[in-house]
Amino acid sequence: MRNVHATKADTLPGRIVATANEYSVNHRVHRHRHRRSQLLYAATGTMIVGTEAGRWIVPPERAVWVPAGMQHEVKSLVHVSTRSLYVDPAVDPALPVDCRVIAISPLMRELLLETADLPLPYEPGSRADAIFSLLVHEIVRAPVLPLDIPMPADARIAARCRAYLRRPSPHETIDDWCRDLDLSRRTFTRRFRAETGVSFANWCRQAAIFAALPRLAAGDAITPLAFDLGYDSASAFTTMFKRVVGVPPSRYLAQSPSTS
């Protein structure tokens, strides 16, 4: 298994390279960038990836795509086992140009687990070349998951968003935000959507997921967590969670090493 610190990955030769790393609970990889685009896959555990544009949650068996040159940082919420694929953007013009969390198919999972032991550099037409080429095709067609929290450019609204992320409250309304920011409802609504690309209500639902995942990873029970986040029942929370994350909280917990 090729263990290379994320900030040293650019020293590896080739248009496509792969690494594997283990991160302990609350480990931080400070802000950095790569000359290649990066697919960062969470084989186990959960990470949060932050950029100037927003934050992305990467649950177990999901991956985040970070375009070449984009400054980003990584924080592990529990022990995380990762595989990273670094791809020169010139390999395929169809590769994404934005940061995104993608679903990982069973085929992609097996290919990613295989990459850490492939030789670098590899010969054209070799087995390694075929595996890397197939992974590029799979990245292009992978479904995008709504696991991001876009941050507005407006400094005052962004500060209010960060405060809410630290302590989401189901009782806060759009009128509370408008009053705090001294903005009319119409101005706030228009500016918020223009700068984040989502409605205020959808943004708050995403914030609830951001609040829930670290607590689930820490072993919090689902029912009290659902009530804390303002849901009337655990089943209502489970329905929302499955729609956004792709698996119910019970399966998410089963995938977290901290709860085994």
Side-chain angles (χ1 to χ4, degrees):
M1 186 161 60
R2 189 180 302 106
N3 294 288
V4 177
H5 192 275
T7 58
K8 302 295 184 182
D10 283 351
T11 63
L12 296 173
R15 300 179 75 194
I16 306 176
V17 300
T19 65
N21 283 291
E22 303 287 325
Y23 296 124
S24 58
V25 179
N26 292 325
H27 179 81
R28 287 184 179 273
V29 180
H30 295 290
R31 190 152 290 202
H32 63 287
R33 69 177 74 190
H34 302 290
R35 61 185 177 89
R36 306 179 189 92
S37 297
Q38 180 185 12
L39 182 74
L40 177 59
Y41 166 59
T44 63
T46 300
M47 301 174 285
I48 292 180
V49 174
T51 74
E52 291 297 328
R55 302 179 192 178
W56 284 258
I57 293 178
V58 191
E61 299 190 11
R62 306 291 187 269
V64 62
W65 175 260
V66 183
M70 178 176 283
Q71 289 273 5
H72 61 286
E73 59 192 2
V74 181
K75 178 183 178 182
S76 59
L77 300 181
V78 295
H79 180 89
V80 177
S81 178
T82 72
R83 300 294 185 274
S84 283
L85 197 69
Y86 299 91
V87 185
D88 187 321
V91 166
D92 191 329
L95 285 166
V97 295
D98 60 331
C99 195
R100 57 178 60 181
V101 174
I102 62 173
I104 297 297
S105 67
L107 172 61
M108 286 187 74
R109 178 182 183 277
E110 294 305 317
L111 292 172
L112 285 165
L113 294 178
E114 187 70 18
T115 58
D117 294 320
L118 294 177
L120 293 179
Y122 54 88
E123 295 296 324
S126 65
R127 175 175 177 269
D129 187 16
I131 290 174
F132 284 131
S133 296
L134 182 53
L135 271 167
V136 169
H137 286 292
E138 293 300 300
I139 291 168
V140 170
R141 66 188 296 271
V144 180
L145 302 176
L147 293 174
D148 62 305
I149 289 284
M151 298 298 287
D154 184 291
R156 292 176 62 238
I157 300 178
R160 186 67 173 80
C161 287
R162 287 191 292 269
Y164 188 85
L165 282 170
R166 287 192 294 270
R167 192 176 182 84
S169 169
H171 306 297
E172 285 191 23
T173 67
I174 191 171
D175 292 325
D176 294 327
W177 283 53
C178 291
R179 183 181 60 252
D180 293 346
L181 296 166
D182 194 25
L183 295 172
S184 70
R185 187 185 181 106
R186 181 178 180 182
T187 298
F188 173 79
T189 300
R190 183 177 65 249
R191 189 176 299 174
F192 194 91
R193 181 179 283 278
E195 296 196 6
T196 64
V198 298
S199 70
F200 175 75
N202 284 339
W203 190 92
C204 288
R205 279 193 287 271
Q206 294 298 100
I209 292 294
F210 264 73
L213 284 175
R215 292 181 58 179
L216 286 170
D220 283 18
I222 295 170
T223 298
L225 173 57
F227 289 139
D228 285 350
L229 293 175
Y231 288 86
D232 294 331
S233 65
S235 61
F237 169 72
T238 296
T239 298
M240 182 278 297
F241 189 96
K242 184 177 180 181
R243 184 172 66 247
V244 175
V245 177
V247 296
S250 56
R251 183 176 167 192
Y252 173 83
L253 287 168
Q255 293 171 333
S256 173
S258 68
T259 60
S260 58

